[in-house]
Amino acid sequence: MFYDRDAASQILAMTRVTTLARLHAATTYLIQMHGFRFYYFSLRGQHALTGRDPVTLHNLPVNGRRPEMDREPDQDPLAHYAATRTLPMDWKQIMALPGYQHRGYLRVMAARAQHGLLSGCTVPLSQASGVLARLDLICDHDDEEADLCIRRYLPYASLLGQVLLDKTRGLTRQEDDDLMEPDGGTPLTQRERECLLWASEGKTNAEIGALLGISERTVVYHVHHACEKLHARNRQHAVTKAILSRKLFGPTSDSSRLVGNMV
């Protein structure tokens, strides 16, 4: 997909993807190719389209407690910036703006840094008709190399964000009937969720078995039963349906609101 050397052409090539899972995979590959480690995309105000809010795509760290990226604007400097401004901006520049140095905002950014989200940029995408969307491109280091990475890609960040916004709207509408499970469906077991979570990170059955301390055959067993419960055609379909139906992380997880980490 990304044979073009021109950054804009690479982004526009993503308009050809046909599923949310492939959109996530393409975004992860693209941003890492340009020096970023993580991305976070959030689309809020889409109740009529999906019945849930927000819709998010991301590849944030999965080990330990997941960093919180979806807060209200009065609690989060990045959310506030995206809700009130239009230009993409480096996090350091955002935090230097008047009114962004108060203790609550500083604590939020410090907490993210503890999870390896050390520098990045925020791209406001939509503030019309009650819809609010943003894209964050994130580095896991804070040095001259990260600053250069952000400066180089910032001119293309808005184009990437608009492609994600348009594709997420269209693909969510297209896949809504197929992927959204009723809340009362058969719940996944903890082990089934763990297997699908690692599958969403691109791990093979053997790798998942090693991570969970179970045999590869047992991993296949759990994935098979998860597919049956989710009425999924295959493992990738099961991962996507589990994410969009909020079953991947379980009812008590802080991450149950997220739709990210799809393959």
Side-chain angles (χ1 to χ4, degrees), residues 8 22 34 72 89-90 95 97 99 103 109 121 123-124 127 134 143 172 184 190 202-203 207 228 230 242 250:
R22 290 174 182 172
H34 286 278
E72 295 301 320
M89 187 171 287
D90 187 311
M95 296 308 295
L97 292 172
R103 187 174 301 176
M109 297 306 291
C121 60
V123 185
Q127 301 170 11
R134 90 172 197 258
D143 51 24
T172 303
Q190 179 177 348
K203 301 298 184 183
E207 291 171 332
E228 288 187 337
L230 294 166

Side-chain angles (χ1 to χ4, degrees), residues 211-248:
L211 287 164
L212 298 179
I214 58 180
S215 70
E216 182 177 355
R217 183 175 180 180
T218 303
V219 173
V220 173
Y221 171 85
H222 287 304
V223 171
H224 171 73
H225 279 272
C227 287
E228 288 187 337
K229 290 179 179 180
L230 294 166
H231 306 291
R233 295 184 297 272
N234 52 43
R235 160 188 173 126
Q236 182 186 51
H237 193 202
V239 168
T240 309
K241 294 189 76 170
I243 291 168
L244 293 182
S245 61
R246 305 184 184 183
K247 291 183 179 180
L248 185 57

Side-chain angles (χ1 to χ4, degrees), residues 17-20 23 43 46 49 163-176:
V17 302
T18 56
T19 67
L20 285 171
L23 181 64
L43 172 60
Q46 293 292 287
L49 178 63
V163 169
L164 282 173
L165 178 60
D166 290 345
K167 293 299 294 185
T168 300
R169 280 173 162 169
L171 292 173
T172 303
R173 184 181 299 110
Q174 172 185 320
E175 298 182 358
D176 187 43

